[in-house]
Amino acid sequence: MSGDSDGRDGAEAVGVQRMSEPTLSEQREYYDRLWSKLARRPVKHQHLKNRMYAIRRWVSALELPEGARILDFGCGLGDISNLLSSFGTVDGIDLSPAATEIAAQRFPHINFSHGDLFEEPIEDRSYHLVVSSEVFEHVATERRNDFLNRIERLLAPGGYLLLTTPNDILSSQVHDLDQPLENHFTPDDLRNAVERRLDVVKLASTHAFAPLRCHRSRFWQLLRMVVYAIPFGRWFWERPSRAGLEGMYLVVLARSR
């Protein structure tokens, strides 16, 4: 369960569950292997870059207090934690010990810890901002409500949650869905889930516009090959773009009541 990569009870499940729900131990073992493998890759995936672009833009618009405390809830290898460190003091937590060990080596100015996101002892009402990127879809159906309850308790009065998760409208076309647990959400599903605990301020989406077309058309695949051969062509092709509520990644900003 990690972020560099639910609001209803099990009987009222939202989103689309992609696979059977594994145990926490099975998930931890999977992500230890995954993060150890990804750490050997020198270039960040463009999808991570696009999410980081959206997170930076949204956080920059917030009026966080000086010395704000920020929690990266499901921090993975720490790239987003590092981004957030320009806005305040950041703590990162993840289920995977391998991920947080690597993250601590990469970004020693950030406090990383590993543990069960639901059980790890963290002081309530202690964070002005909690960011959770690409974690919510990996939460077991029966624990979605617990996940949001935990975040709500961690937020200081008036504190913000910024959450990203795949948009079920498009994700089935572009995601391999090979992680142990995948529960993707439509915009309405995500809003309904978050509004049970927090006030939704904004809901939008972001995605790499052109790559989506490549999953549907041979013509776009050939055009991509041509553009990639041009200097800066890859950046132009994969640049983040806003897409209303039809982009690859949903982004929701909510505030504690």
Side-chain angles (χ1 to χ4, degrees):
M1 186 190 304
S2 40
D4 288 4
S5 51
D6 274 66
R8 295 186 184 181
D9 296 333
E12 303 176 278
V14 298
V16 178
Q17 183 176 324
R18 302 298 185 186
M19 302 183 70
S20 60
E21 297 186 350
T23 66
L24 197 64
S25 177
E26 290 170 336
Q27 292 181 70
R28 184 183 296 109
E29 291 174 1
Y30 172 87
Y31 287 110
D32 277 347
R33 293 193 302 270
L34 176 65
W35 290 126
S36 297
K37 177 181 178 181
L38 292 179
R40 296 192 292 269
R41 299 180 181 178
V43 179
K44 298 172 188 163
H45 198 285
Q46 187 64 36
H47 296 318
L48 172 59
K49 292 180 180 180
N50 286 357
R51 295 201 311 273
M52 291 175 67
Y53 171 86
I55 290 169
R56 180 185 294 280
R57 178 162 51 86
W58 284 41
V59 174
S60 297
L62 299 178
E63 295 182 358
L64 296 175
E66 184 176 353
R69 293 196 64 198
I70 302 171
L71 176 65
D72 188 357
F73 203 61
C75 62
L77 298 180
D79 293 282
I80 292 174
S81 301
N82 185 52
L83 179 157
L84 294 170
S85 65
S86 62
F87 300 98
T89 301
V90 179
D91 297 324
I93 182 172
D94 198 275
L95 174 66
S96 166
T100 53
E101 180 179 351
I102 296 167
Q105 294 172 355
R106 299 176 71 208
F107 308 111
H109 60 291
I110 296 172
N111 176 39
F112 291 103
S113 61
H114 70 270
D116 184 344
L117 300 185
F118 301 95
E119 305 295 339
E120 192 70 8
I122 305 174
E123 182 182 355
D124 287 350
R125 309 302 177 192
S126 56
Y127 290 99
H128 301 97
L129 171 66
V130 173
V131 174
S132 188
S133 183
E134 308 308 284
V135 177
F136 202 30
E137 66 273 18
H138 305 309
V139 174
T141 302
E142 69 275 8
R143 305 205 75 180
R144 293 170 182 163
N145 202 46
D146 294 337
F147 181 86
L148 289 170
N149 287 345
R150 184 74 198 277
I151 291 178
E152 191 273 337
R153 292 197 308 272
L154 294 174
L155 288 173
Y160 292 97
L161 164 67
L162 181 57
L163 183 151
T164 80
T165 193
N167 185 356
D168 194 58
I169 293 174
L170 292 176
S171 59
S172 60
Q173 302 179 48
V174 295
H175 279 267
D176 294 333
L177 302 177
D178 58 349
Q179 297 195 43
L181 183 60
E182 293 276 359
N183 293 294
H184 292 189
F185 296 81
T186 67
D188 286 343
D189 289 336
L190 183 61
R191 179 184 293 275
N192 291 337
V194 174
E195 281 185 337
R196 287 174 170 248
R197 300 301 308 172
L198 303 161
D199 293 328
V200 173
V201 177
K202 184 179 180 181
L203 176 64
S205 70
T206 186
H207 71 322
F209 177 77
L212 289 175
R213 301 297 186 267
C214 294
H215 289 268
R216 305 168 183 168
S217 167
R218 178 63 177 168
F219 167 79
W220 282 87
Q221 293 170 11
L222 294 173
L223 181 60
R224 176 178 60 182
M225 294 174 62
V226 174
V227 173
Y228 275 18
I230 302 172
F232 301 105
R234 186 184 184 97
W235 173 86
F236 175 81
W237 184 267
E238 297 186 348
R239 74 191 188 283
S241 60
R242 305 179 193 184
L245 291 176
E246 297 182 354
M248 187 185 305
Y249 300 107
L250 295 173
V251 187
V252 63
L253 176 68
R255 196 168 191 181
S256 63
R257 295 167 178 162

